[in-house]
Amino acid sequence: MKKILLTILFIAISSKLLACSCGIVPLMDRIPKSDFIATAKIIKISPDKENQDLHDIQIEIIDLYKGQATGNLKIYSALNSSCAFFTPENSEWLIFASKNKNGDLSFGYCSGAKRIDRKFDSDRYPHAEKNYKKSIELKLQVLEYLKKSEIQTLNEFGLRTSFSSGCLKNFKGYEVKTDRFALYELTVESDLSISEVKALKEFDNDNLKTDLLNCVRESVKVYTRKKETEILNRTKIIIGLYYYASERGNESFIGQFDL
């Protein structure tokens, strides 16, 4: 188990994070914050004429998951900082972009973008490329499902969630044959209590469904970024759980992060 988690963390946190730290944001928290989500090929990149920390890029959309189709974005490249970020021409990316103060769609080092065609040194990191591709595939599975099901992922108050008990630790050794994710809709009252939990998509294992739904109902807590004790009105948010198959002698498990 420890070996699997270490490999996953290597994928999620590149060596640059030693100098420039980005918090790990769950996919179902990142989607509502993004105005544009797509897989795309970088066609052309050029310096922004007004801001040396930005670059203008032309893209060719492969699949659009959220927002309006566009051929132009800005990247916060910040090449002279520890958060330097660059998207080479002809590379392919999963992009999460948001409108900046000027109304331009932009993304950067901490925006969640992932290079789809990234390569690894197989001698130094023999399992990294395989696990990295699995991580990308998982995110694309979720995005494709949301798109086809026309599920809106709104989070008007920027709510976050956590599991208050260790109930997820009980779900080891199960087998899931198809999609590696489950989605749950939480109805959150103004006092941040959860009045209803609805399964939008469950794992294809009947032995998992009831117990996992109870785990979510009994253990998930909702909070705000600034630790307020209430919000203006009742709202709904969606959370995801993710399945990691057994590997190299370690049991399968279910986690909160799409790593």
Side-chain angles (χ1 to χ4, degrees):
M1 181 67 68
K2 289 183 178 179
K3 291 182 180 179
I4 293 177
L5 290 175
L6 287 173
T7 302
I8 291 171
L9 286 174
F10 168 78
I11 292 171
I13 307 174
S14 70
S15 59
K16 287 184 180 180
L17 286 181
L18 295 175
C20 180
S21 179
C22 303
I24 298 177
V25 179
L27 180 62
M28 298 309 298
D29 288 351
R30 191 176 294 283
I31 293 173
K33 294 164 51 176
S34 302
D35 298 304
F36 174 88
I37 304 173
T39 51
K41 183 176 182 178
I42 308 301
I43 303 301
K44 184 178 180 180
I45 182 168
S46 55
D48 185 275
K49 295 179 180 179
E50 299 180 357
N51 190 332
Q52 64 179 359
D53 287 333
L54 299 177
H55 276 76
D56 295 310
I57 61 172
Q58 294 180 17
I59 64 171
E60 180 182 290
I61 293 177
I62 301 171
D63 284 302
L64 178 66
Y65 299 106
K66 183 177 180 180
Q68 300 297 316
T70 181
N72 299 282
L73 298 172
K74 290 184 180 291
I75 58 170
Y76 180 69
S77 45
L79 297 184
N80 295 319
S81 75
S82 60
C83 291
F85 179 74
F86 200 67
T87 53
E89 292 181 357
N90 298 314
S91 60
E92 295 183 359
W93 290 77
L94 169 59
I95 298 171
F96 299 84
S98 300
K99 291 182 180 179
N100 62 22
K101 61 183 180 180
N102 296 320
D104 299 314
L105 285 171
S106 63
F107 65 104
Y109 191 81
C110 291
S111 301
K114 298 291 182 183
R115 183 169 178 174
I116 297 173
D117 55 357
R118 181 179 176 182
K119 301 299 181 183
F120 290 82
D121 184 333
S122 59
D123 291 329
R124 293 186 64 187
Y125 309 108
H127 304 292
E129 188 162 328
K130 177 182 177 181
N131 288 327
Y132 183 81
K133 288 181 178 179
K134 284 183 179 180
S135 176
I136 297 292
E137 289 170 358
L138 177 58
K139 291 172 175 58
L140 294 179
Q141 276 187 355
V142 176
L143 289 167
E144 188 64 31
Y145 181 83
L146 293 172
K147 178 181 177 180
K148 286 186 175 181
S149 303
E150 298 183 346
I151 296 175
Q152 298 295 317
T153 55
L154 302 177
N155 189 344
E156 59 182 319
F157 299 109
L159 299 177
R160 300 181 180 185
T161 60
S162 64
F163 279 73
S164 61
S165 73
C167 67
L168 286 181
K169 296 179 181 178
N170 297 324
F171 300 99
K172 296 179 181 179
Y174 287 89
E175 183 178 358
V176 170
K177 295 180 180 179
T178 55
D179 293 340
R180 294 170 45 213
F181 67 96
L183 300 175
Y184 301 89
E185 180 185 76
L186 311 181
T187 299
V188 183
E189 301 297 328
S190 58
D191 63 358
L192 300 182
S193 63
I194 299 172
S195 58
E196 183 181 2
V197 176
K198 178 182 178 182
L200 299 180
K201 182 184 181 303
E202 297 179 282
F203 294 115
D204 65 347
N205 184 318
D206 291 336
N207 293 325
L208 266 177
K209 292 180 181 179
T210 300
D211 290 342
L212 196 54
L213 182 57
N214 287 335
C215 174
V216 175
R217 284 174 174 159
E218 297 171 3
S219 302
V220 171
K221 301 297 180 184
V222 177
Y223 61 98
T224 68
R225 184 176 181 180
K226 296 182 179 180
K227 306 299 182 182
E228 294 100 338
T229 57
E230 60 181 22
I231 53 179
L232 293 177
N233 52 263
R234 173 189 291 179
T235 190
K236 292 183 179 182
I237 60 174
I238 298 174
I239 64 170
L241 291 176
Y242 307 93
Y243 173 79
Y244 294 90
S246 59
E247 187 175 358
R248 297 192 293 277
N250 296 292
E251 288 185 301
S252 64
F253 66 97
I254 292 173
Q256 299 171 248
F257 297 99
D258 51 288
L259 303 177

